[in-house]
Amino acid sequence: MLNYYSYPHKTAKEWVTFVHGAGGSSSIWYKQVRDFKKHFNVLILDLRGHGNSKPKLKDTFNPKYTFDSITADIVEVIDHLKIEKSHFVGISLGTILIRNLAEKKPTLVQSMIMGGAIIKMNFRSQVLMKVGNIFKSVVPYMLLYKLFAFIIMPKKNHKKSRSLFVNEAKKLYQKEFLRWFKLTSEINPLLRFFRTKDINIPTFYIMGAEDHLFLPSIENIVKLHKKASLFVIENCGHVVNVEQPDAFNSQTIRFITSLKG
């Protein structure tokens, strides 16, 4: 089972589950845990191969990573803790996993909070993935990761986010990185399906105004999906919860609280 940390609240009934992105770990949520545990039961977890969810022996002989198998890892933890329903907060690739979870187990998902969400790969990000695929076996993976981090988070005020993700990615094994990278071949058809299909679950997109690769497609999707809303944080890049934690926390807690009304 995935490594996880839970913070039960004395009186609150609602759960909030945090899902990090590729190359991150549960540690990226430390500024969220402090605020959220005042109001909710909180669950943070390390996706397979990340943080303290070390690759198991059986994974060594099972190289097939899919969005479905990684989503099933998350469900296993939720079931183990006997959580019947949760709000889910994701960042970057974690938002794809949450959307996939909502597709597979809609009764588990009370709402989706999508930070630095990915709903469409634009031309630049497609080129980035193709270049990565060509060089992934010959270029040291950390060099590739640093390049990706810089293209996704290029500005001076994104430096903290870049450093955090690069430092977390250093803890990944090369084999593990390559397995996660191969998931990119699944991304386009999955995202096309998510864009086409509206889902009857309240969805709050929270994006940085400087998230140049992914913000435009989120602005479009919010116009099409009935239960979707968007909040844009100024002077902020892709990793909104790290760059602007106070704005991220206040807006997302307000969104969850508003659903009770």
Side-chain angles (χ1 to χ4, degrees), residues 19-22 28-29 89-98 113-121 152-153 161 165 191 204-218 230-233 236-243 248 252:
V19 182
H20 66 79
I28 70 150
W29 301 112
V89 182
I91 197 79
S92 194
L93 189 114
T95 63
I96 302 177
L97 294 169
I98 289 171
I113 289 127
M114 313 292 233
I118 302 171
I119 199 75
K120 188 177 185 181
M121 305 294 277
I152 294 169
M153 302 170 258
S161 305
F165 269 73
L191 293 184
F204 182 57
Y205 292 100
I206 182 159
M207 306 289 290
E210 297 163 357
D211 193 353
H212 57 286
L213 285 187
F214 304 116
L215 177 58
S217 54
I218 299 299
L230 168 65
F231 185 84
V232 178
I233 303 176
C236 186
H238 183 59
V239 191
V240 280
N241 68 303
V242 171
E243 282 182 45
F248 182 90
T252 50

Side-chain angles (χ1 to χ4, degrees), residues 120-142:
K120 188 177 185 181
M121 305 294 277
N122 69 4
F123 180 72
R124 282 176 72 184
S125 47
Q126 301 270 18
V127 169
L128 190 60
M129 291 304 175
K130 284 192 169 72
V131 169
N133 263 317
I134 293 163
F135 291 108
K136 69 177 186 289
S137 301
V138 288
V139 174
Y141 84 94
M142 278 313 301

Side-chain angles (χ1 to χ4, degrees), residues 3-253:
N3 178 63
Y4 67 86
Y5 306 93
S6 63
Y7 303 88
H9 190 281
K10 283 181 182 173
T11 56
K13 298 276 195 294
E14 291 182 286
W15 279 89
V16 179
T17 301
F18 291 85
V19 182
H20 66 79
S25 79
S26 57
S27 66
I28 70 150
W29 301 112
Y30 72 100
K31 287 192 174 170
Q32 278 65 58
V33 170
R34 185 187 58 205
D35 283 356
F36 275 76
K37 69 180 185 180
K38 293 173 190 171
H39 308 276
F40 312 105
N41 301 291
V42 170
L43 171 64
I44 57 174
L45 41 80
D46 292 319
L47 297 174
R48 61 166 77 174
H50 293 68
N52 288 318
S53 292
K54 300 298 180 208
K56 296 185 181 72
L57 193 62
K58 65 180 176 69
D59 294 331
T60 310
F61 303 104
N62 178 21
K64 183 93 175 118
Y65 273 32
T66 64
F67 279 104
D68 283 355
S69 63
I70 295 164
T71 302
D73 290 346
I74 300 168
V75 173
E76 185 183 22
V77 176
I78 300 277
D79 287 348
H80 172 73
L81 293 171
K82 297 181 168 56
I83 297 170
E84 292 178 10
K85 218 172 180 60
S86 177
H87 302 276
F88 285 85
V89 182
I91 197 79
S92 194
L93 189 114
T95 63
I96 302 177
L97 294 169
I98 289 171
R99 180 64 177 80
N100 198 45
L101 176 61
E103 207 56 52
K104 305 290 174 194
K105 299 266 185 179
T107 55
L108 267 186
V109 184
Q110 210 159 344
S111 74
M112 299 186 287
I113 289 127
M114 313 292 233
I118 302 171
I119 199 75
K120 188 177 185 181
M121 305 294 277
N122 69 4
F123 180 72
R124 282 176 72 184
S125 47
Q126 301 270 18
V127 169
L128 190 60
M129 291 304 175
K130 284 192 169 72
V131 169
N133 263 317
I134 293 163
F135 291 108
K136 69 177 186 289
S137 301
V138 288
V139 174
Y141 84 94
M142 278 313 301
L143 207 62
L144 269 182
Y145 199 89
K146 283 177 182 173
L147 173 68
F148 290 172
F150 189 77
I151 290 170
I152 294 169
M153 302 170 258
K155 295 200 171 188
K156 195 182 281 185
N157 56 309
H158 307 162
K159 189 178 177 184
K160 189 179 175 185
S161 305
R162 276 201 310 272
S163 301
L164 181 70
F165 269 73
V166 166
N167 287 335
E168 285 297 327
K170 281 177 185 168
K171 298 172 192 172
L172 282 179
Y173 300 98
Q174 170 107 10
K175 267 188 179 174
E176 206 67 20
F177 175 83
L178 293 177
R179 284 171 175 173
W180 274 86
F181 199 86
K182 282 174 187 167
L183 275 178
T184 56
S185 62
E186 271 193 66
I187 278 185
N188 280 331
L190 197 60
L191 293 184
R192 198 176 300 119
F193 171 69
F194 292 161
R195 288 195 303 274
T196 309
K197 189 185 175 195
D198 198 352
I199 193 162
N200 194 33
I201 293 172
T203 307
F204 182 57
Y205 292 100
I206 182 159
M207 306 289 290
E210 297 163 357
D211 193 353
H212 57 286
L213 285 187
F214 304 116
L215 177 58
S217 54
I218 299 299
E219 288 172 331
N220 289 335
I221 213 72
V222 167
K223 293 170 190 168
L224 300 172
H225 289 184
K226 286 177 190 157
K227 290 213 166 180
S229 56
L230 168 65
F231 185 84
V232 178
I233 303 176
E234 295 303 319
N235 305 311
C236 186
H238 183 59
V239 191
V240 280
N241 68 303
V242 171
E243 282 182 45
Q244 299 275 4
D246 292 339
F248 182 90
N249 294 355
S250 63
Q251 290 299 326
T252 50
I253 289 169

